[in-house]
Amino acid sequence: MADNSLIGQLVDALRCLPSVGPKSAQRMTFHLLERDRNGARQLAQALLAAADNVGNCHVCRTLSENDVCRICANQRRDQSQLCVVEMPADVQAVEQSAVYGGLYFVLMGHLSPIDGIGPEEIGLDHLVRRFDEGDIKEVILAANPTVEGEATSHYIAEMARSRGIKSTRIAYGVPFGGELEYVDGGTLTHAFTGRREV
Amino acid sequence: MADNSLIGQLVDALRCLPSVGPKSAQRMTFHLLERDRNGARQLAQALLAAADNVGNCHVCRTLSENDVCRICANQRRDQSQLCVVEMPADVQAVEQSAVYGGLYFVLMGHLSPIDGIGPEEIGLDHLVRRFDEGDIKEVILAANPTVEGEATSHYIAEMARSRGIKSTRIAYGVPFGGELEYVDGGTLTHAFTGRREV
């Protein structure tokens, strides 16, 4: 049904969702039209409202419909700790674990000079100003454990060091609840070199 | 993020799509807001246009934005054959195989007395009128190979027989390209009893 009928147009439009191929898009289209037109209308309204009104927090750069997101606006959070992550979804993941009570800074990506993504594109000019305000005592680096994420963390750690701010890296190791058999060699190397006395 | 922010509302609204759970909905939300706001707006428009304007074909009952769908309106199709399927997606599947050049009748379900779905709910009063118009010489039954689909096919076959119209059932057997090892016993039984001389 890749045609110009309204049904065909809806199938095509659903392809903008990640990991939705032609078959899934067709199944979603028939599901909505046969069983859930109200859901379809509500989804349309939610898409328009979010696309038009969600911007970035002026303080931490995460996605937010307000100028300052709820975490940055919350004075009860520890103002001396700043956790640096790549994406808004990472903030969600850390918040869900409830392990951390400080503030965040969201890079919205990582350094990637080959793609023209330098320090300014990931907001490090912004981050420097926060360092200089003097509230932050510890920067917790939590970029993704990839080559680009590591390079980005290293760059930020240098920035922090030159201003006398402590920087830490979240631990590498075997994931809790996993099976050792299926853990890759790089992770195991980190787990052994980072072993602690019990 | 199951909250009442616009982001939370979009995550919730995406759950109306089949097989989209909370994690996928969150991933879709971040993808759209970070990388594809135009896609989000186009999807919203396509949802509204389809939800408001797609109805059912007056002739075959499939989903269509016109009173008579393109297949029913196409005079070049064989007007003497009528293929009965359960859902609009089944019409798509048969059309894509390009094996069939006749018309369709879409039940939009199957007989299920326990759920209060009787002959009228699946449009059989409608189908009887088409039988009585006299153009149809063969009814090809292609409801799903389930207990309910079988019962529905049997019911329609009786309706056709009492009006002197031939009814046929699409063949059961091993799926082409499959491996015999993984074919279930019921299908193999049908494949053996339905074997043909070569």
Side-chain angles (χ1 to χ4, degrees), chain A residues 76-156:
Chain A
R76 295 221 304 264
R77 296 190 70 114
D78 186 341
Q79 308 286 314
S80 71
Q81 286 187 316
L82 188 73
C83 177
V84 179
V85 297
E86 292 189 18
M87 301 304 282
D90 303 329
V91 174
Q92 293 306 312
V94 177
E95 284 298 292
Q96 274 159 23
S97 76
V99 70
Y100 177 68
L103 301 173
Y104 293 92
F105 189 83
V106 182
L107 303 168
M108 301 299 283
H110 46 237
L111 286 177
S112 183
I114 213 164
D115 303 312
I117 299 174
E120 289 209 5
E121 281 71 26
I122 58 170
L124 296 192
D125 48 339
H126 215 77
L127 185 58
V128 163
R129 283 200 294 278
R130 275 186 87 174
F131 284 173
D132 290 339
E133 284 167 11
D135 286 338
I136 296 159
K137 305 298 175 218
E138 179 183 1
V139 178
I140 299 170
L141 300 165
N144 289 332
T146 60
V147 174
E148 296 87 352
E150 285 294 275
T152 307
S153 291
H154 184 74
Y155 192 95
I156 296 170

Side-chain angles (χ1 to χ4, degrees), chain A:
Chain A
M1 257 218 192
D3 52 37
N4 60 1
S5 71
L6 294 177
I7 297 174
Q9 285 170 27
L10 179 52
V11 172
D12 286 344
L14 282 163
R15 302 281 308 275
C16 76
L17 298 172
S19 41
V20 172
K23 268 279 172 191
S24 305
Q26 188 184 294
R27 200 161 51 88
M28 288 173 170
T29 298
F30 285 130
H31 172 86
L32 292 175
L33 293 176
E34 287 159 10
R35 300 203 188 93
D36 196 7
R37 294 205 185 205
N38 273 338
R41 289 193 189 96
Q42 275 167 23
L43 175 54
Q45 301 303 348
L47 284 163
L48 290 174
D52 290 343
N53 297 305
V54 172
N56 293 88
C57 171
H58 290 194
V59 182
C60 75
R61 291 168 46 100
T62 198
L63 291 170
S64 169
E65 65 195 271
N66 304 313
D67 285 350
V68 177
C69 75
R70 275 178 300 183
I71 293 174
C72 290
N74 184 348
Q75 289 298 323
R76 295 221 304 264
R77 296 190 70 114
D78 186 341
Q79 308 286 314
S80 71
Q81 286 187 316
L82 188 73
C83 177
V84 179
V85 297
E86 292 189 18
M87 301 304 282
D90 303 329
V91 174
Q92 293 306 312
V94 177
E95 284 298 292
Q96 274 159 23
S97 76
V99 70
Y100 177 68
L103 301 173
Y104 293 92
F105 189 83
V106 182
L107 303 168
M108 301 299 283
H110 46 237
L111 286 177
S112 183
I114 213 164
D115 303 312
I117 299 174
E120 289 209 5
E121 281 71 26
I122 58 170
L124 296 192
D125 48 339
H126 215 77
L127 185 58
V128 163
R129 283 200 294 278
R130 275 186 87 174
F131 284 173
D132 290 339
E133 284 167 11
D135 286 338
I136 296 159
K137 305 298 175 218
E138 179 183 1
V139 178
I140 299 170
L141 300 165
N144 289 332
T146 60
V147 174
E148 296 87 352
E150 285 294 275
T152 307
S153 291
H154 184 74
Y155 192 95
I156 296 170
E158 285 300 317
M159 276 170 47
R161 196 191 327 275
S162 70
R163 284 161 182 82
I165 298 170
K166 179 169 85 169
S167 56
T168 55
R169 180 79 179 82
I170 57 168
Y172 286 132
V174 292
F176 188 72
E179 290 185 58
L180 215 61
E181 183 181 350
Y182 300 111
V183 173
D184 67 290
T187 301
L188 275 180
T189 306
H190 279 295
F192 274 83
T193 55
R195 70 189 182 279
R196 291 161 63 167
E197 207 167 331
V198 291

Side-chain angles (χ1 to χ4, degrees), chain B:
Chain B
M1 258 218 190
D3 53 36
N4 60 3
S5 70
L6 294 177
I7 297 175
Q9 285 172 27
L10 178 52
V11 172
D12 287 345
L14 282 162
R15 303 280 306 275
C16 77
L17 298 172
S19 42
V20 172
K23 269 280 173 191
S24 304
Q26 187 185 295
R27 200 162 50 88
M28 289 173 169
T29 297
F30 284 131
H31 172 86
L32 292 175
L33 293 177
E34 287 160 11
R35 302 207 186 89
D36 196 8
R37 294 205 185 206
N38 273 338
R41 291 194 187 93
Q42 276 167 22
L43 175 54
Q45 301 303 348
L47 284 163
L48 291 174
D52 291 342
N53 298 307
V54 172
N56 292 88
C57 171
H58 290 192
V59 182
C60 75
R61 290 168 45 100
T62 197
L63 290 171
S64 168
E65 65 195 274
N66 304 313
D67 285 349
V68 178
C69 75
R70 275 179 300 183
I71 293 174
C72 290
N74 184 350
Q75 290 298 323
R76 296 220 303 264
R77 296 190 70 115
D78 186 340
Q79 309 286 314
S80 73
Q81 286 186 315
L82 188 73
C83 176
V84 179
V85 296
E86 292 190 20
M87 301 304 281
D90 303 330
V91 174
Q92 293 305 313
V94 178
E95 284 298 292
Q96 273 159 26
S97 76
V99 70
Y100 178 67
L103 301 174
Y104 293 92
F105 189 82
V106 182
L107 303 168
M108 301 299 283
H110 47 238
L111 287 178
S112 181
I114 211 163
D115 303 313
I117 300 175
E120 288 210 5
E121 281 71 26
I122 59 170
L124 296 191
D125 48 338
H126 214 79
L127 185 58
V128 164
R129 284 199 295 277
R130 275 188 86 173
F131 284 173
D132 290 340
E133 285 166 11
D135 286 339
I136 295 158
K137 306 296 174 220
E138 178 183 2
V139 178
I140 299 171
L141 300 164
N144 289 333
T146 58
V147 173
E148 295 88 353
E150 284 294 276
T152 307
S153 290
H154 185 76
Y155 192 97
I156 297 171
E158 284 301 315
M159 278 171 46
R161 196 190 330 273
S162 70
R163 285 161 181 83
I165 298 171
K166 178 170 86 169
S167 56
T168 56
R169 179 77 178 86
I170 58 169
Y172 286 131
V174 292
F176 188 73
E179 291 185 58
L180 215 60
E181 183 181 350
Y182 302 110
V183 172
D184 67 289
T187 302
L188 274 179
T189 306
H190 279 295
F192 275 84
T193 56
R195 69 189 182 279
R196 291 159 63 168
E197 206 167 333
V198 292

